[in-house]
């Protein structure tokens, strides 16, 4: 059986590679499995003597991926863990000549992109090689050492040419000094030395192939001629080279110039393809409440009709995962579900299929059903009405500014309310008369109106709006902000009806028609305070429910966060004018069409609430008393092979429909799908599917084509606690060589070793942690396994005396190490300029980087000049918020009798600025660098930036919760057009940091910035 083969390495007549997430050894035409159910293993490398295989093991937590280094005897045996770094970016890259494993890692670095090389002995002792950021190190003869930077495989971004492309450096004195050796207009990966030449993989000619140069960097030769699939993950034993192409392994002999594909057949188990059942709540996507007795839901892409209390659950549509359902709606009499590719299926209330329609209107983004009409909103901002009887689809409205995602039918079935993006910053509520096809504005397109919902009796239209602009003074930024910006609103639908806030009169009969004339004048706010309102629904008897959030910081929910925002459901009674909180901890809610029931989603449960009765919200036990539904009755059966085929197709379809350029960057996208679809029969695990999806998306050659998998279904790792220190094995003990001080006045910004009552200094020996005696085989990280945020006793030896201290470990040292790096740079700037110049580092353009900017500005707001540092900026969306703070410049001041002048405008930077950037400043960090340079705010020092500016959102997920992104929003700038993408922004003054500079503690980029600003 043929598998999908990854990460090959060769030693003599043996090859090791990965398939089914396990290590396999191949020799003499036979394969042997070396690991089993060990999680995802990658990057195996033979030791120089062929006795050992080092590899990386990946595991996942709710906070992301962790990776560590393991070894296994080449003949098979028990894997042994060598490192306890516990970071996302630890990878085996080879071995040293003296038999130590080489790995790069972001362990103890201030940024995830800053990955340094470590040499790890088989006894677990390790040494940081102190060569700065590097991803490869290859040893040749006569003192030749080749070092690689940014040699990352980029299957998701082919033909990359930006600042962070892979480059090679060379040392001819055994690694003491290095010089730039090879820099092509493409991405270099997999450096090797064979026969006195440096071999590597590059796509500078369009497709990844194997190349080589001589030791002077000249005589460039191409050794393979693949045109469809890339050469990837090449490796060598110094004599022959192996690599993968489209799941196959190829062997190349440079001496004979012979290339062959290995015909590898293995006794694969295909265990990951076995059918399984999954938790319906974990994968719950959408739900709709038909009545107090029935609800419909979609979980793991499958649709179900679920009786609330008694009766059988009915699966709607296909079982197993071959068809993915994405949206569900009900009018209480029928249920409509939409598939990922735009088909609509209609079912009776007892679960019988009524009709399947393929209207051909694109990807469905919202769905609402009433009687014989279905409203569909698609990915192009269009609103369609689908007639169930005839199957005809009519285009009734279109937005030029965004998606229509919220809509509701009037109880009569004649009118549809929807929120239409009507401007760059505005949404307004509109009404469609389904009998005539005419549309009407309910609110003027001057605000942000959303969440339309009707009163079940048809008298009122409710919605939410960000009209309550009551500014609050931000004490940090000295600006007004609208932290609480929205309120619920009501529209009286008949001219002869009075405002319920003046007098509410009960009416039992249903209102069948709407008076559209003068409707904009019948909009009224609810008499409640402004807040953060997420959704509103109409209930029976003149009651209204809304979901309301508290004001919170943005960090918890930023970007890839899996956190769902939760709030409280409040009910307002129009008759009594009273409001009460019904339940808290809710992330979503739906009302039944008759308005008698409310279905809310809490953490790990759905609760059905009869609005006439108060449930026991403290109870979590399923039953009528609590309202908690027994979701164990929903059996979600998954056939992975069907799912994987659907997921690849959906990833392809989402890209086809959402990629920012209609011509797909000149790529034949249909042909791309046909090419990669053929690989599916060989895919045996979710990780392998991810590899195929990434390669497919990478064909567009564009940034931000991501596939973020939440779970490869592997064992969860134990996290590592931190002491906020760096250690080195000196042959006798683990010595503390650095304590990360950071800013001790801030929470979580100092090492536990600097806590009160703890006398630990750099140079001390760390004897034991939590009773574990440290030594070879037991590094400090080993003793800190499964001890994040834990109280532990440590023993410290100094001058022959041992002291014992009790400290609390930190959960994640990354921020502490980052703060230490920032404060060291600030100290250098302060000392070099006698305190006249300030320093700001912006680590990203998200909420964290935004906070860092103001934290630094608050501390040094009266400086006459500033060095702004955006090296390693991970991007985001706040460049447009920060640029005004930088480009205005201080041009005035307030004078007082007794105190120093205060700058004007407040909290902006002075006009003397220098920007430091590098190849890891990307996305919105690219844009910020461009802004600074384009506006002429000062010199830009460093290296060309990353070059990825086609932005994304995180709207779409695949059926297993994987975030799948499509480059949608291309940045255009004056003077460059869209040219930053794939290239980056050049500095005014290019300054390189050589590997030896890091060893000597030098920062030529910062030094150059200081030289400029002192001379200005």
């Amino acid at each position: 059986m043929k598998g999908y083969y990854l990460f090959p390495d060769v030693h003599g007549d043996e090859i090791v590679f990965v398939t089914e997430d396990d290590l396999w050894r191949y020799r003499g035409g036979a394969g042997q499995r070396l690991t089993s159910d060990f999680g995802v293993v990658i990057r195996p490398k033979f030791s120089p003597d062929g006795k050992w295989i080092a590899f990386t093991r990946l595991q996942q937590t709710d906070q992301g991926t962790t990776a560590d280094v393991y070894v296994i005897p080449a003949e098979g045996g028990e894997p042994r863990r060598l490192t306890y770094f516990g970071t996302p970016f630890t990878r085996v890259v080879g071995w040293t000549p003296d038999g130590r494993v080489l790995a790069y890692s972001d362990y103890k670095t201030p940024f995830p992109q800053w990955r340094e090389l470590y040499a790890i002995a088989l006894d677990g002792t390790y040494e940081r090689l102190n060569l700065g950021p590097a991803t490869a190190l290859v040893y040749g003869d006569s003192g030749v050492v080749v070092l690689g930077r940014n040699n990352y495989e980029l299957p998701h971004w082919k033909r990359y040419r930006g600042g962070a492309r892979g480059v090679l450096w060379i040392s001819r004195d055994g690694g003491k000094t290095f010089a730039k050796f090879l820099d092509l207009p493409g991405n270099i990966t997999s450096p090797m030395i064979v026969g006195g030449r440096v071999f590597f993989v590059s796509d500078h000619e369009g497709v990844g192939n194997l190349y080589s140069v001589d030791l002077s960097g000249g005589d460039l030769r191409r050794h393979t001629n693949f045109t469809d699939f890339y050469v990837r993950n090449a490796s060598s034993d110094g004599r022959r080279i192996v690599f993968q192409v489209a799941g196959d392994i190829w062997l190349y002999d440079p001496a004979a110039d012979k290339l062959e594909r290995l015909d590898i057949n293995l006794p694969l188990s295909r265990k990951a393809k076995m059918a399984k059942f999954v938790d319906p709540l974990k994968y719950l996507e959408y739900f709709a409440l038909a009545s107090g007795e029935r609800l419909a839901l979609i979980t793991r892409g499958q649709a179900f009709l679920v009786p609330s209390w008694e009766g059988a659950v009915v699966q709607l549509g296909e079982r197993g995962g071959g068809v993915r359902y994405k949206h569900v709606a009900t009018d209480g009499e029928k249920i409509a579900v939409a598939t990922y590719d735009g088909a609509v299926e209609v079912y009776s209330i007892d679960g019988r299929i009524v009709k399947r329609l393929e209207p051909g209107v694109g990807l469905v983004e919202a769905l609402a059903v009433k009687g014989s009409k279905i409203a569909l909103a698609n990915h192009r901002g269009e609103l369609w009405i689908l007639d169930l009887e005839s199957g005809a689809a009519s285009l009734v409205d279109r937005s030029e500014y965004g998606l229509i995602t919220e809509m509701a039918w009037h109880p009569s079935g004649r009118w549809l309310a929807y929120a239409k993006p009507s401007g760059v910053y505005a949404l307004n509520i509109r009404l469609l008369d389904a009998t005539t096809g005419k549309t009407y504005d309910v609110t003027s397109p001057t605000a942000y109106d959303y969440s339309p919902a009707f009163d079940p009796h048809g008298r009122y239209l409710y919605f939410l709006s960000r009209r309550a602009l009551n500014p609050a003074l931000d004490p940090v930024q000295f600006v007004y902000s609208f932290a609480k910006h929205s309120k619920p609103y009501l529209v009286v639908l008949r001219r002869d009806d009075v405002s319920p806030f003046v007098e509410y009169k009960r009416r039992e009969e249903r209102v069948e028609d709407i008076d559209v004339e003068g409707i904009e004048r019948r909009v009224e706010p609810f008499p409640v305070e402004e807040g953060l309102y997420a959704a509103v629904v109409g209930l029976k008897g003149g009651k209204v429910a809304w979901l309301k959030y508290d004001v919170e910081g943005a960090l918890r929910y930023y970007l890839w966060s899996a956190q769902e925002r939760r709030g409280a459901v409040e009910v307002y009674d129009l008759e009594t004018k009273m409001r009460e909180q019904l339940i808290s901890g809710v992330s979503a809610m739906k009302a039944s069409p008759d308005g008698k029931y409310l279905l809310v989603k809490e953490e790990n449960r759905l609760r059905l609430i009869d609005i006439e009765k108060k449930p026991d919200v403290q109870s979590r036990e399923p039953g009528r008393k609590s309202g908690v539904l027994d979701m164990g009755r929903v059996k979600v059966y998954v056939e992975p092979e069907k799912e994987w085929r659907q997921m690849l197709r959906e990833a392809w379809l989402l890209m086809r429909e959402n990629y920012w350029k209609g011509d797909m960057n000149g790529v034949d996208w249909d042909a791309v799908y046909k090419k990669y679809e053929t690989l599916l029969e060989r895919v045996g695990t979710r990780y392998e599917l991810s590899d195929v999806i990434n390669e497919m998306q990478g064909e567009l050659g564009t940034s931000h084509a991501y596939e973020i998998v939440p779970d490869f279904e592997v064992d969860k790792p134990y996290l590592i606690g931190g002491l906020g220190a760096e250690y080195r094995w000196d042959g006798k003990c683990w010595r503390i060589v650095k304590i990360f001080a950071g800013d001790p006045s801030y929470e979580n910004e100092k090492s536990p070793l600097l806590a009160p009552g703890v006398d630990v200094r750099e140079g001390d020996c760390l004897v034991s942690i939590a009773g574990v005696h440290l030594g070879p085989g037991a590094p400090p990280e080993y003793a800190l396994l499964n001890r994040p945020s834990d109280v532990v006793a440590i023993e410290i030896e100094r001058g022959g005396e041992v002291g014992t201290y009790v400290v609390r470990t930190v959960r994640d040292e990354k921020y502490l190490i980052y703060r230490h790096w920032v404060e060291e740079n600030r100290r250098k700037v302060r000392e070099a300029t006698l305190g006249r110049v300030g320093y700001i580092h912006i680590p990203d353009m998200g909420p964290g980087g935004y906070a860092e900017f103001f934290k630094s500005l608050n501390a040094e707001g009266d400086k006459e000049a500033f060095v702004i540092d955006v090296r390693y900026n991970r991007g985001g969306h706040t460049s447009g918020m920060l640029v005004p703070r930088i480009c205005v410049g201080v041009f005035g001041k307030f004078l007082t009798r007794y105190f120093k002048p205060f700058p004007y405008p407040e909290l902006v930077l002075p006009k003397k600025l220098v920007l430091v950037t590098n190849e890891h400043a990307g996305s919105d960090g690219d844009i910020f660098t461009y802004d600074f340079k384009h506006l002429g705010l000062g010199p830009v020092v460093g290296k060309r930036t990353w070059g990825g500016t086609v932005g994304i959102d995180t709207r779409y997920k695949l059926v297993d919760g994987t975030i799948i992104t499509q480059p949608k929003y291309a940045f255009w700038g004056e003077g460059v057009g869209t040219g930053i993408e794939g290239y980056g922004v050049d500095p005014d003054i290019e300054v390189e940091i050589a590997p030896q500079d890091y060893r000597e503690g030098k920062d030529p980029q910062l030094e150059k910035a200081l030289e400029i600003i002192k001379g200005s």
Side-chain angles (χ1 to χ4, degrees):
M1 184 183 298
K2 288 191 178 297
Y4 187 77
Y5 307 134
L6 301 161
F7 306 110
D9 190 31
V10 61
H11 185 273
D13 295 327
E14 294 192 356
I15 292 174
V16 65
F17 56 87
V18 175
T19 192
E20 289 195 331
D21 297 348
D22 284 324
L23 293 183
W24 291 72
R25 188 182 63 177
Y26 184 76
R27 178 173 54 186
Q32 174 191 359
R33 191 190 295 262
L34 298 180
T35 62
S36 180
D37 292 330
F38 203 60
V40 176
V41 301
I42 61 173
R43 291 174 166 262
K45 297 289 184 182
F46 279 108
S47 62
D49 59 10
K51 294 181 179 180
W52 296 92
I53 299 170
F55 63 93
T56 303
R57 181 190 188 193
L58 303 181
Q59 294 177 276
Q60 284 178 309
T61 72
D62 294 338
Q63 290 79 39
T65 301
T66 66
D68 272 291
V69 175
Y70 288 72
V71 292
I72 190 171
E75 295 296 322
E78 182 179 352
R80 176 151 51 94
R81 184 171 181 172
L82 290 188
T83 68
Y84 295 84
F85 293 169
T87 70
F89 302 109
T90 297
R91 299 290 187 272
V92 169
V93 297
W95 291 73
T96 64
D98 63 2
R100 293 182 293 171
V101 179
L102 268 174
Y104 71 72
S105 179
D106 63 325
Y107 181 60
K108 303 291 186 182
T109 71
F111 307 100
Q113 312 99 302
W114 185 329
R115 302 163 194 178
E116 297 216 25
L117 290 167
Y118 284 82
I120 306 145
L122 293 180
D123 64 2
T125 58
Y126 60 82
E127 174 191 6
R128 183 165 63 89
L129 298 186
N130 212 13
L131 294 171
T135 52
L137 198 65
V138 185
Y139 297 89
D141 298 329
S142 304
V144 171
V145 181
V146 173
L147 178 145
R149 284 185 177 169
N150 305 320
N151 309 118
Y152 303 117
E153 242 220 325
L154 296 176
H156 64 285
W157 191 357
K158 296 175 179 177
R159 303 179 300 282
Y160 172 64
R161 306 286 189 268
R165 66 199 178 282
V167 298
L168 301 181
W169 293 65
I170 194 166
S171 171
R172 305 181 192 278
D173 56 10
K176 295 177 183 178
T177 58
F178 288 83
K180 182 76 74 68
F181 171 61
L182 190 61
D183 187 355
L184 295 174
N187 190 46
I188 296 173
T189 67
S190 303
M192 302 158 282
I193 298 179
V194 182
R197 294 181 65 85
V198 177
F199 284 76
F200 56 92
V201 175
S202 173
D203 64 353
H204 65 279
E205 293 184 304
V207 177
N209 272 294
L210 185 66
Y211 295 81
S212 73
V213 293
D214 60 28
L215 291 179
S216 67
D219 188 26
L220 177 66
R221 303 176 189 173
R222 186 172 73 194
H223 302 280
T224 60
N225 295 286
F226 292 94
T227 57
D228 284 340
F229 294 97
Y230 268 46
V231 171
R232 298 173 53 196
N233 292 312
S235 191
S236 176
D237 60 356
R239 186 169 64 90
R240 295 188 295 175
I241 297 170
V242 289
F243 53 83
Q244 69 184 73
V245 177
D248 281 319
I249 293 177
W250 293 70
L251 182 65
Y252 177 66
D253 185 341
D257 193 24
K258 180 183 177 182
L259 178 67
E260 65 173 314
R261 178 170 58 184
L262 302 182
D263 185 19
I264 301 175
N265 287 279
L266 301 173
L268 301 172
S269 70
R270 290 294 191 244
K271 180 180 177 182
K273 285 189 171 183
M274 293 178 63
K276 59 188 176 183
F277 289 91
V278 299
D279 181 354
L281 281 170
K282 179 179 179 180
Y283 298 100
L284 180 63
E285 297 174 79
Y286 298 95
F287 58 89
L289 186 58
S291 67
E293 299 301 319
R294 288 183 179 87
L295 63 139
L297 57 85
I298 294 175
T299 176
R300 189 77 178 215
Q302 300 185 47
F304 296 87
L305 178 62
V306 182
S308 303
W309 311 116
E310 292 88 21
V313 173
V314 178
Q315 180 146 13
L316 308 177
E318 186 174 321
R319 182 189 194 213
V323 174
R324 184 190 181 184
Y325 299 97
K326 291 195 71 171
H327 297 275
V328 61
T330 180
D331 61 0
E333 297 179 359
K334 66 184 69 64
I335 299 160
V337 292
T339 65
Y340 78 99
D341 51 0
V344 177
E345 296 176 1
V346 181
Y347 295 85
S348 66
I349 198 63
D350 58 2
R352 290 178 294 106
I353 183 80
V354 175
K355 207 161 195 176
R356 176 181 170 87
L357 300 166
E358 296 188 18
V361 300
L363 307 183
V364 176
E365 297 289 347
L367 180 71
V369 61
K370 183 65 178 179
S372 63
K373 298 286 192 296
I374 293 181
L376 297 175
N378 70 11
H379 67 291
R380 296 187 289 265
E382 297 170 344
L383 178 62
W384 293 77
I385 297 298
L386 183 62
D387 188 286
L388 293 181
E389 296 177 359
S390 67
S394 302
L395 178 64
V396 294
D397 204 352
R398 182 181 182 275
S399 169
E400 295 182 331
Y401 295 97
L403 301 178
I404 297 170
T405 60
E406 297 176 312
M407 51 195 183
W409 283 104
H410 187 267
S412 67
R414 176 178 173 181
W415 300 89
L416 180 78
Y418 57 99
K420 176 184 177 180
S422 48
V424 176
Y425 309 114
L427 275 75
N428 75 311
I429 303 298
R430 306 200 81 206
L431 277 175
L432 164 72
D433 184 343
T435 62
T436 66
K438 292 183 178 180
T439 57
Y440 305 87
D441 285 328
V442 176
T443 62
S444 60
T446 57
Y448 192 96
D449 307 324
Y450 58 105
S451 189
F454 285 103
D455 162 41
H457 293 287
R459 295 176 69 184
Y460 311 116
L461 170 62
Y462 309 117
F463 67 94
L464 303 174
S465 181
R466 297 178 186 172
R467 298 164 179 253
L469 302 184
N470 182 8
L473 183 63
D474 187 317
V476 174
Q477 300 184 58
F478 195 68
V479 295
Y480 285 105
S481 64
F482 304 104
K484 297 182 178 182
H485 47 60
S486 56
K487 289 181 72 168
Y489 289 76
L490 172 150
V491 185
V492 178
L493 297 179
R494 297 287 298 175
R495 282 176 294 184
D496 58 357
D497 209 348
V498 299
S499 167
F501 303 123
V502 175
E503 180 183 8
Y504 178 76
K505 295 181 179 180
R506 282 182 173 268
R507 294 177 63 169
E508 297 302 324
E509 71 279 8
R510 192 175 74 182
V511 172
E512 297 295 330
D513 204 2
I514 295 175
D515 291 323
V516 293
E517 184 179 348
I519 195 170
E520 292 184 35
R521 297 191 296 272
R522 300 199 297 273
V523 176
E524 296 189 87
F526 276 78
V528 296
E529 72 282 356
E530 63 271 6
L532 298 181
Y533 294 86
V536 62
V537 295
L539 301 176
K540 181 185 177 184
K543 293 181 179 179
V544 187
W546 50 66
L547 176 59
K548 184 180 179 184
Y549 296 143
D550 290 332
V551 176
E552 297 181 87
L555 285 171
R556 184 181 180 189
Y557 305 103
Y558 183 58
L559 204 54
W560 315 119
S561 171
Q563 293 287 337
E564 285 188 311
R565 196 161 190 181
R566 302 186 185 277
V569 175
E570 296 178 343
V571 175
Y572 185 92
D573 191 321
L574 290 170
E575 184 172 17
T576 65
K577 311 297 187 290
M578 300 293 291
R579 175 183 49 160
E580 65 174 342
Q581 180 173 306
L582 182 64
I583 188 172
S584 61
V586 171
S587 60
M589 67 174 184
K590 297 287 183 180
S592 60
D594 60 12
K596 294 180 180 179
Y597 295 90
L598 201 61
L599 183 63
V600 300
K601 182 185 179 185
E602 303 171 75
E603 187 175 8
N604 299 321
R605 74 189 67 88
L606 287 176
R607 194 186 299 264
L608 181 63
I609 299 173
D610 184 335
I611 66 167
E612 299 296 335
K613 303 174 185 177
K614 286 189 175 182
D616 180 5
V617 297
Q618 302 303 317
S619 174
R620 299 184 178 184
E621 292 298 317
R624 292 180 183 270
K625 182 179 179 181
S626 66
V628 175
L629 303 181
D630 179 7
M631 294 297 290
R633 298 172 297 149
V634 180
K635 308 299 182 182
V636 187
Y637 180 73
V638 171
E639 297 176 70
E641 191 164 9
K642 286 184 178 180
E643 267 199 351
W644 295 346
R645 192 165 295 276
Q646 184 279 323
M647 290 164 74
L648 181 74
R649 180 71 181 182
E650 184 170 2
W652 173 85
L653 180 63
L654 287 169
M655 190 67 80
R656 187 190 75 180
E657 297 299 324
N658 290 297
Y659 186 69
W660 79 278
K661 294 178 72 176
D663 70 350
M664 302 302 289
N665 221 16
V667 174
D668 184 343
W669 198 236
D670 290 331
V672 165
Y673 178 74
K674 291 175 183 177
K675 181 169 70 171
Y676 285 96
E677 190 267 344
T678 61
L679 300 179
L680 283 176
E681 63 183 20
R682 297 177 60 174
V683 166
T685 68
R686 180 63 185 84
Y687 183 86
E688 292 173 4
L689 174 68
S690 182
D691 192 79
V692 174
I693 290 174
N694 275 295
E695 268 228 76
M696 180 183 72
Q697 296 201 141
E699 293 283 354
L700 291 168
T702 308
S703 65
H704 293 85
Y706 297 137
E707 186 237 17
I708 312 297
V709 183
D711 190 0
F712 286 122
E713 299 187 357
V714 298
D715 291 341
K716 304 302 178 188
Y718 296 110
L719 300 181
I720 313 295
L723 294 179
E726 187 174 345
Y727 327 104
R728 184 184 70 243
W729 177 252
D730 67 359
K732 296 181 180 179
C733 74
W734 286 98
R735 196 168 297 279
I736 298 171
V737 295
K738 182 184 292 184
I739 297 176
F740 298 105
D743 186 342
S745 61
Y746 278 82
E747 182 180 5
N748 298 324
E749 291 193 14
K750 68 177 179 181
S751 165
L753 303 183
L754 299 176
V758 178
D759 182 18
V760 178
R761 306 172 195 171
E762 293 177 352
D764 289 350
C765 274
L766 193 52
V767 178
S768 73
I769 301 174
V772 177
H773 189 81
L774 306 181
E781 299 84 4
Y782 167 76
L784 291 166
L785 185 66
N786 199 28
R787 290 190 174 276
S789 303
D790 200 5
V791 176
V792 298
I794 61 173
E795 287 185 307
I796 300 293
E797 186 269 331
R798 183 193 311 144
E801 296 185 3
V802 176
T804 302
Y805 306 97
V806 176
V807 298
R808 180 178 294 277
T809 65
V810 296
R811 184 175 185 84
D812 184 358
E813 290 181 313
K814 187 66 77 177
Y815 187 69
L816 168 60
I817 295 168
Y818 165 74
R819 175 61 55 214
H820 183 92
W821 181 82
V822 168
E823 294 304 322
E824 280 292 297
N825 287 345
R826 179 168 287 123
R827 179 187 59 77
K828 292 176 184 177
V829 171
R830 186 183 303 120
E831 291 177 355
T833 64
L834 302 178
R836 297 183 297 108
V837 178
Y839 173 82
I840 289 177
H841 182 265
I842 310 174
D844 58 57
M845 292 296 166
Y850 190 77
E852 283 296 321
F853 178 87
F854 284 98
K855 181 174 181 178
S856 296
L857 187 54
N858 283 341
E860 300 192 295
D862 61 345
K863 303 300 182 184
E864 64 183 53
F866 264 88
V867 173
I868 305 173
D869 192 342
V870 292
R871 291 177 294 181
Y872 298 97
N873 185 288
R874 295 187 293 277
H877 56 248
T878 63
S879 65
M881 305 179 198
L882 295 179
V883 165
R885 300 280 180 179
I886 296 170
C887 68
V888 172
V890 174
F891 54 84
K893 53 189 172 183
F894 290 104
L895 306 177
T896 65
R897 180 175 178 180
Y898 297 109
F899 307 108
K900 288 186 176 182
F902 287 78
Y904 177 84
E906 296 85 353
L907 287 169
V908 301
L909 295 184
K911 295 183 178 180
K912 289 176 60 176
L913 303 172
V914 175
L915 183 72
V916 187
T917 194
N918 72 355
E919 67 269 31
H920 296 293
S923 192
D924 208 27
D926 284 303
I927 295 173
F928 184 88
T929 304
Y930 159 80
D931 294 342
F932 191 95
K933 187 174 179 180
H934 177 70
L935 294 170
L937 302 179
V940 177
V941 174
K943 295 288 292 179
R944 177 161 33 117
T945 62
W946 183 60
T949 55
V950 184
I952 55 174
D953 55 42
T954 56
R955 176 173 181 78
Y956 298 108
K957 292 183 179 181
L958 298 180
V959 69
D960 65 349
T962 293
I963 295 173
I964 193 83
T965 66
Q966 304 82 46
K968 290 183 181 180
Y969 313 103
F971 177 78
W972 179 95
E974 289 183 355
V976 297
T978 59
I980 299 175
E981 173 68 20
Y983 180 82
V985 179
D986 285 310
D988 297 307
I989 303 169
E990 182 170 354
V991 179
E992 189 78 74
I993 305 182
Q996 56 268 22
D997 292 326
Y998 286 97
R999 177 181 289 151
E1000 297 167 9
K1002 296 179 180 178
D1003 186 346
Q1005 292 170 346
L1006 184 59
E1007 291 168 7
K1008 186 63 177 181
L1010 287 171
E1011 175 189 325
I1012 292 170
I1013 208 157
K1014 287 195 294 183
S1016 62

